[in-house]
């Protein structure tokens, strides 16, 4: 129950932070991290599998929180272009192809997840 509550708290905070940023009521610096301008539902979809702060409970899913931004951006591009292989490559490739993220969105997502510091 605590883990589910933790995810909901992160999801709620990230979503509301993006809404407040969009309304101009909060600056990214106030949160100590850069909030991507990609839609909050995309960030929520990433968090749904990769867990709160980018660290999933399922050890078969990669930790993306705190990874280097360049690594994450390259991985997103490779998945989107169908160039990455592995256990979850098909899932990620299909997911990213439907999103059709542009280069700016890829960099923003990579920077956002890079800025997260999950407890290890």
């Amino acid at each position: 129950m605590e883990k589910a509550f933790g995810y909901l708290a992160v999801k709620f905070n990230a979503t509301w932070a993006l809404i407040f940023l969009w309304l101009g009521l909060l600056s990214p610096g106030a949160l100590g991290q850069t909030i991507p301008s990609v839609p909050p539902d995309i960030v929520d979809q990433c968090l749904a599998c990769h867990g709160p702060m980018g660290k999933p409970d399922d050890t078969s899913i990669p930790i993306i929180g705190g990874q280097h931004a360049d690594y994450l951006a390259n991985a997103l591009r490779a998945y989107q272009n169908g160039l990455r292989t592995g256990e979850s490559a098909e899932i990620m490739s299909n997911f990213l192809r439907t999103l059709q993220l542009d280069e700016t969105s890829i960099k923003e997502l990579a920077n956002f997840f890079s800025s997260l510091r999950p407890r290890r």
Side-chain angles (χ1 to χ4, degrees):
M1 184 72 175
E2 184 178 332
K3 291 178 183 177
F5 177 76
Y7 168 71
L8 292 175
V10 169
K11 182 176 177 182
F12 175 81
N13 289 338
T15 301
W16 280 105
L18 288 168
I19 290 169
F20 287 140
L21 282 170
W22 182 73
L23 293 173
L25 301 174
L26 184 65
S27 70
L31 298 174
Q33 61 191 20
T34 303
I35 301 295
S37 63
V38 294
D41 62 313
I42 293 174
V43 174
D44 287 345
Q45 289 178 55
C46 296
L47 293 172
C49 290
H50 289 281
M53 303 298 288
K55 184 182 182 209
D57 289 332
D58 183 344
T59 57
S60 69
I61 299 172
I63 296 171
I64 60 174
Q67 292 285 357
H68 292 282
D70 289 340
Y71 170 80
L72 292 172
N74 287 333
L76 289 170
R77 286 186 208 98
Y79 281 127
Q80 188 166 279
N81 294 321
L83 302 174
R84 189 120 184 213
T85 60
E87 292 179 30
S88 55
E90 186 176 347
I91 294 168
M92 286 297 297
S93 291
N94 291 336
F95 174 66
L96 288 166
R97 280 189 218 140
T98 59
L99 292 179
Q100 297 181 348
L101 297 174
D102 61 12
E103 186 60 24
T104 300
S105 297
I106 287 173
K107 287 180 180 177
E108 288 179 353
L109 273 175
N111 287 331
F112 173 73
F113 282 103
S114 178
S115 74
L116 299 179
R117 301 289 180 234
R119 287 186 276 170
R120 303 224 183 244

